[in-house]
Amino acid sequence: MRISRRQALRTIGGAAGLAALPGCTVVEGEPPDSTQGLSKKAAPGRRTTITFYSLFGGVDGQGWVDLATRFEAVQDEIGVEVVYAPTTGQGEQQKLLVSIAAGDPPDLAMVIPFQVPQWAELGIMTDLTDLARGAGLTERDFLPAVWQGMRWKDRVWQLQWDVDPNFPFYWNKQLFAECGLDPGRPPRTITEVDELSAEITQVGRQGASRVGTVPWQVAGFANAAFTWGFAFGGTFVDPETGQVTPDDEHVVAAVDWMAGYARSLGGADRLNVAPPTLQMNPFGYGAMGMAALGPRSVKQILEARPDFSYGSTLLPYQPPGADRPGAGTWIGGWGAFIPSEAKHPEAAWEFLRWFAATPEGTLAEFETVNYPPGYLKSPAMERMRSDGILRPSYDAMLAATNIKPSLPETNYFSQQLEIHVARAVYGEVSAREAMRVVKENTRREAERFKNQMGL
Amino acid sequence: MRSRKRRRDLMWGLVFTSPAIIGLLWFTAYPVLASLYYSFTSYTMVGPPKWIGWANYADLLTDQVWWSSLWNTVYIVVWSVPLGIVAALGLALLLNMGVGGRSVYRTVFYLPTIVPAVASAVLWMYIFDPQYGLLNDALAKVGVAGPGWLSDPGWAKPALIVMSAWGVGNLMVIMLAGLQEVPATLQEQASTDGAGVLSRFRHVTLPYVSPHMLFALVTGLIGGFQFFTPVFVMTGGTGNPAGSTLVSGLYLYQNAFQYFKVGYASAIAWMLFALVAAITVATFRLVGRRVYYGGR
């Protein structure tokens, strides 16, 4: 019997349909919040339910769900709904911004401390000064740089729950020994970094196959400018006028040093020191002698190479602008704030204060989300001090006195530094010219923002 | 009687198309008009917009970052659009040659088009890696030391242009359709008259695919000025290295979501629209008259 093509297709289609039918069923109940465990509903039966936007994915995001659950366990009045609201690009919180624009923000959300002046001036944030005062929170409760980042115009706008000291300085002991250097003696100054680099660096026809360090690979060119600019003793803001000063002579010297270092490697784009996976930090691959790193990068390196032999110290400095190791360290991290149109500000404050400024809450945050707190009375501080991987961050954290410039135009300033510091490092312009352009553009932008906001 | 029926048909027609009409009005027409209004205001997404007239447009004229982003965009468009057309036409010509397994080749060449933009951007980051990337590895095999591509300000834009040729599958299908419209009798006649391969291509094939090439040119220009996703993914929204890939679309995004200058971002959007509209009209005027529509 011959079967036509149409009959064959019809038979196959029919059979597939019949096979699929038993799979059809009425789904009851609500779909799960998230298959990744990054969101959660509030515990039932609470007097007040607050909404919290969590912007972290992976284990960090799951940590926030755990942290909110712990908060619900230590009291029975407030339920916390965690909504996963990831960032894009350079940390833009689109979901949060849209919810604020629509007049329906969450009760609690995240903020990068240097964004506080801009967001406070825009009227997005609730002034927490009275709440903080009522809770007895003072300058003495926080690291100095953290207290500085929580405030704008003498008011408190956010509580910083995560402290990211940028950066402890690491060196590869094995590579030091291979290069005939003393593996027990790290550099203290930038001049010493240069001297050690001269012994380590190997540049061939294809570019650098071994380097002392890569100064501009510090979480972007803008962050590199802040890190080494502070390490040279530079300042980025004139305290009198509140205007940016990227053309400060020490900042220019720092950018000039990075540009010179790139030239010594045959160009910033001629580096062949990355690991083949392109995921692990290049320092862990073994072809880089020294690096300014965060603890997470170190943890990742040790997961891949448990036998990696390294040492850590405070960030080298450069006299005469700076006078001690660690002088360049600055504090980054995350804070949390209550949007000005939040429906339950008091309940949101209770949760915020618990995880950012109480001993038990900060410890719970450290155990779940696992970020270092900025609250000095936190038991997590002692845990960091006694942890091999976190100890360098702990030391750097205590040494840090700087923060990124806290100005309404800091986002724009950072973006300008990202472009023009890179231009200097790639040899397109001189460091001085690059910083002049950054200053000119940023000051123009600041003027525009002030006019726009009627400040 | 007839007019009553027509009115009833019209009413039901509108009823059945109303979801689409409402959707277009609400999700397209309203945002478009709102952005035009915002472009004349100072608006931060918070609080009411403040009318400032042409100030945003005047600011654009003196904004060095805007001009630099426009230059980057034009550079990419000027190279990637012709490259895309040539690559698509080349592939279509190969597929039109009557070789065996054509459908397999067609699928292979079309496949990149259906890869999500983000996934292909990540893939190309690996291809362009100066140390371990496929591209520099291939260049090294022929004795060429490859550049730093995305980590070199001088090569980052060419890298994006190379990458853009990866997604020519759609154009290739359109070109192929055009090639299949070329009458075989004309080719035969030209051949009988002694026309060689190049001559037949120049005088027979090319005129028949010229409408498709015009279509590719116009849509390519419009799409090129909206270039965004690959740069956003590959540079994390910075336009690195050294601002060499900061295209206008990315600068618009930065203004809206990083600097809260929604009014200014809207002005950028409308400037881009005006530019694209002007270029499209000019293209039709300059190129359109050279297009052959089969004698019609």
Side-chain angles (χ1 to χ4, degrees), chain A residues 88 92 274 279 426 448 452, chain B residues 42 126 132 151 236 253 258 261:
Chain A
T88 54
E92 296 84 64
Q279 294 299 322
Y426 282 104
R448 194 186 291 159
Q452 187 173 328
Chain B
S42 168
Y126 281 88
Y132 301 105
S151 57
Y253 171 87
Q258 289 180 357
K261 291 157 62 179

Side-chain angles (χ1 to χ4, degrees), chain A residues 88-94 97-98 100-102 118-119 122-124 205-206 220-221 268-279 285 341 411-413 415-416 418-420 422-423 426 428 441 444-445 448-449 451-454, chain B residues 42-47 50 56 59-60 62-65 125-126 129-132 143 145-155 232 235-244 246 251 253-262 264:
Chain A
T88 54
Q90 293 291 289
E92 296 84 64
Q93 299 190 55
Q94 287 189 11
L97 295 180
V98 170
I100 289 171
Q118 185 187 37
W119 290 21
L122 287 170
I124 290 175
R205 202 178 137 261
Q206 302 290 324
F221 290 92
D269 59 315
R270 306 297 291 168
L271 296 179
N272 294 309
V273 296
T277 63
L278 304 181
Q279 294 299 322
Y285 184 49
E341 291 189 51
N411 257 340
Y412 186 88
F413 183 39
Q415 184 57 30
Q416 284 292 302
E418 196 68 40
I419 293 174
H420 295 285
R423 292 188 67 208
Y426 282 104
E428 290 184 2
N441 288 353
R444 198 180 67 140
E445 180 64 19
R448 194 186 291 159
F449 184 82
N451 291 338
Q452 187 173 328
M453 300 305 298
Chain B
S42 168
Y43 179 47
T44 57
M45 267 197 266
V46 186
K50 194 169 80 187
N56 284 329
D59 273 354
L60 269 179
T62 55
D63 184 347
Q64 292 304 316
V65 186
M125 282 168 74
Y126 281 88
D129 183 76
Q131 198 178 343
Y132 301 105
W149 297 111
L150 294 168
S151 57
D152 181 342
W155 280 96
F232 186 75
T235 72
T238 60
N240 273 343
S244 58
L246 181 63
Y251 188 52
Y253 171 87
Q254 288 179 345
N255 273 284
F257 290 101
Q258 289 180 357
Y259 316 145
F260 293 92
K261 291 157 62 179
V262 179
Y264 196 61

Side-chain angles (χ1 to χ4, degrees), chain A residues 29-65:
Chain A
E30 290 183 9
D33 289 341
S34 163
T35 52
Q36 303 293 314
L38 301 175
S39 302
K40 81 167 200 64
K41 293 269 187 220
R46 301 301 170 107
R47 190 171 52 85
T48 312
T49 294
I50 61 169
T51 307
F52 167 64
Y53 276 9
S54 164
L55 42 81
F56 297 95
V59 290
D60 299 352
Q62 288 162 8
W64 272 106
V65 169

